[in-house]
């Protein structure tokens, strides 16, 4: 580290994204999609927009806020937009939390929550999931400080209902409840409608998943207008121009194509069910999922051996080296052809490991 690093960052552990490799791989490790975004996105990047790039973009991102508000049926004043949901969460924590505040999140969830706590000088508190990898509602109800969790959760894929989330929100009206709905379009039910009734609820979403725009990195929050205005004041005190003209145009186009969103989400759900069935037939334990990924384990592949076996065969999946889930792997649900390639690689890997001395075929049904 450099000698000018702020001392409070001495022990920081930066987030490690899914591997972005060089070379040719079937990439099922970062919950992205190889499907193109809405055709409206290409139409939005027209010549007049390109010619206008010499001017600053609207710092308030009004067209994008309006598009989000119309798509979700909320007041435009209740929408905050940013460069991905990560930046949105960053501005939220910077605005609402102070150094030393306790922030609670599940012990098995999106790793960035832990990093945010360190970065913003918060006391991160991990609330263990149940033995079934479900969010412990009672413990989140009882926690006195702000809480954040993904719904559906990652990497497990399990989701709470809006009624269950409302219980957490109602339990302590004076503390912030942040619900990260990155994967909500794949079968879960959004709690955005609850925002109008509860000032302490913030719902964050992204265009990186179901709208196929991970490369554009666009996210937004829906919250009480007063809280959103506070976030805008902080943003304008830091960098008013976080959203480029190109990014805003892309976001507006994608948010306006609800039919394409449904088409893409339904295709993923169909392939998710197919992949889950195929994996179960091969002896995998498969967690029920309402996301664009499956959380799986197999007795033949402890720890990170499955990820290594598949990588050697040109397939990338995600392994998390942390307590309780060291034998589990997350597999992004890809296209039909990507799943075909994955299954071929799995069959080859299973055949190899089952041929080892002392290993029988009882562990898998390849």
């Amino acid at each position: 580290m450099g000698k000018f690093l702020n001392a409070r960052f001495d022990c920081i552990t930066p987030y490690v994204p899914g591997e972005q490799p060089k070379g040719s791989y079937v990439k099922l490790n970062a919950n992205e999609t190889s499907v193109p975004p809405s055709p409206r996105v290409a139409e939005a990047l027209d010549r007049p927009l390109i010619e206008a790039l010499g001017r600053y973009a609207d710092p308030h991102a009004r067209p994008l806020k309006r598009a989000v508000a119309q798509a979700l049926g909320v007041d435009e004043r209740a929408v905050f937009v940013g460069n991905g949901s990560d930046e949105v969460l960053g501005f939220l924590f910077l605005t609402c939390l102070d150094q030393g505040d306790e922030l609670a999140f599940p012990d098995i969830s999106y790793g960035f929550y832990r990093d945010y706590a360190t970065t913003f000088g918060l006391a991160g508190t991990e609330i263990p999931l149940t033995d079934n990898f479900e969010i412990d509602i009672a413990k989140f109800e009882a926690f006195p400080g702000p809480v954040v969790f993904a719904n559906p959760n990652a990497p497990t894929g399990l989701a709470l209902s809006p009624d269950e989330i409302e219980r957490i929100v109602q339990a302590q009206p004076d503390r912030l409840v942040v619900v990260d709905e990155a994967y909500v379009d794949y079968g879960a039910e959004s709690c955005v409608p609850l925002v109008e009734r509860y000032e302490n609820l913030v719902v964050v979403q992204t265009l990186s998943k179901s709208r196929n725009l991970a490369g554009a990195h666009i996210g937004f929050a829906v919250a009480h207008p007063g809280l959103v205005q506070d976030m805008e004041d902080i943003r304008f005190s830091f960098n008013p121009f976080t959203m480029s003209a190109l990014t805003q145009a892309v976001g507006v186009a994608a948010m306006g194509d609800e039919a394409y969103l449904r088409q893409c989400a339904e295709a993923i759900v169909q392939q998710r069910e197919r992949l889950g069935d195929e994996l179960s037939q091969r002896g995998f334990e498969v967690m029920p999922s309402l996301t664009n990924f499956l959380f799986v384990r197999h007795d033949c592949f402890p720890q990170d051996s499955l990820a290594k076996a598949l990588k050697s065969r040109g397939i990338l999946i995600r392994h998390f080296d942390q307590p309780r889930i060291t034998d589990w792997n997350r597999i992004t649900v890809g296209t039909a052809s990507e799943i075909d390639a994955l299954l071929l690689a799995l069959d080859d890997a299973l055949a190899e490991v089952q041929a080892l001395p002392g290993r029988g075929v009882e562990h898998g049904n390849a």
Side-chain angles (χ1 to χ4, degrees):
M1 64 183 67
K3 67 178 182 179
F4 297 111
L5 178 68
N6 188 320
R8 70 186 179 95
F9 295 136
D10 282 349
C11 299
I12 200 166
T13 304
Y15 176 72
V16 180
E19 185 179 357
Q20 304 291 331
K22 297 178 180 178
S24 178
Y25 288 92
V26 175
K27 199 167 180 299
L28 303 177
N29 65 324
N31 296 344
E32 310 148 304
T33 172
S34 57
V35 176
S38 164
R40 297 187 187 183
V41 170
E43 297 170 4
L45 300 176
D46 56 12
R47 185 183 182 95
L49 174 63
I50 303 301
E51 293 176 345
L53 288 181
R55 306 292 183 183
Y56 286 113
D58 175 9
H60 300 280
R62 292 184 184 90
L64 180 54
K65 286 188 173 186
R66 193 173 305 119
V68 171
Q70 290 174 350
L72 273 61
V74 300
D75 191 322
E76 184 179 334
R77 297 172 301 168
V79 177
F80 179 91
V81 298
N83 282 301
S85 55
D86 296 330
E87 182 183 81
V88 172
L89 286 167
F91 274 116
L92 175 63
F93 295 148
L94 182 63
T95 300
C96 299
L97 306 183
D98 200 0
Q99 288 191 35
D101 286 352
E102 283 193 84
L103 173 69
F105 41 84
D107 65 332
I108 300 172
S109 192
Y110 184 32
F112 229 136
Y113 304 146
R114 189 177 297 106
D115 296 324
Y116 281 128
T118 304
T119 302
F120 291 104
L122 309 174
T125 299
E126 298 184 10
I127 297 180
L129 297 182
T130 67
D131 292 340
N132 295 324
F133 288 152
E134 297 173 341
I135 285 178
D136 192 322
I137 298 172
K139 289 182 179 178
F140 273 88
E141 285 181 297
F143 189 79
V147 300
V148 59
F149 54 87
N151 193 60
N153 195 20
T156 63
L158 302 178
L160 298 178
S161 69
D163 288 344
E164 291 171 318
I165 290 174
E166 188 170 16
R167 281 176 49 189
I168 297 173
V169 175
Q170 286 179 329
Q172 302 193 52
D174 293 329
R175 60 92 187 265
L176 201 63
V177 175
V178 185
V179 182
D180 185 348
E181 293 188 342
Y183 303 100
V184 73
D185 292 322
Y186 298 113
E189 188 175 352
S190 175
C191 60
V192 163
L194 297 177
V195 171
E196 190 173 355
R197 305 209 305 267
Y198 298 101
E199 292 188 21
N200 64 321
L201 174 62
V202 181
V203 179
V204 179
Q205 292 190 16
T206 178
L207 277 66
S208 294
K209 311 301 181 183
S210 56
R211 296 185 190 272
N212 311 309
L213 283 172
H217 217 60
I218 303 169
F220 60 86
V222 180
H224 184 273
L227 192 156
V228 169
Q229 186 56 57
D230 289 340
M231 291 176 67
E232 291 288 3
D233 290 344
I234 295 299
R235 186 168 69 87
F236 271 69
S237 301
F238 172 68
N239 177 14
F241 299 101
T242 58
M243 301 290 289
S244 73
L246 292 174
T247 301
Q248 292 185 46
V250 165
V252 169
M255 290 303 302
D257 199 343
E258 190 71 17
Y260 191 75
L261 164 68
R262 296 269 66 86
Q263 174 187 330
C264 292
E266 289 168 6
I268 290 294
V269 170
Q270 183 180 28
Q271 294 302 323
R272 182 182 72 207
E273 300 309 307
R274 173 201 170 202
L275 178 57
D277 290 342
E278 294 280 3
L279 292 175
S280 295
Q281 291 173 25
R282 289 163 170 80
F284 280 87
E285 181 179 351
V286 182
M287 193 79 68
S289 176
L290 291 175
T291 66
N292 70 337
F293 58 82
L294 292 176
F295 200 46
V296 307
R297 64 175 296 277
H298 196 292
D299 288 342
C300 285
F301 295 100
Q303 300 183 17
D304 62 347
S305 57
L306 178 62
K308 289 179 177 177
L310 289 177
K311 184 175 182 179
S312 70
R313 292 165 171 82
I315 310 287
L316 296 180
I317 63 173
R318 190 77 186 270
H319 176 260
F320 297 89
D321 186 16
Q322 66 182 84
R324 300 183 67 189
I325 59 171
T326 186
D327 291 336
W328 290 79
N329 292 273
R330 190 193 69 193
I331 303 177
T332 302
V333 178
T335 62
S337 61
E338 288 171 335
I339 290 176
D340 289 342
L342 167 67
L343 294 174
L344 285 173
L346 275 175
D347 287 342
D348 187 58
L350 280 166
E352 180 180 277
V353 73
Q354 289 166 354
L356 295 175
R359 302 301 293 266
V361 296
E362 69 273 15
H363 293 295
N365 303 306

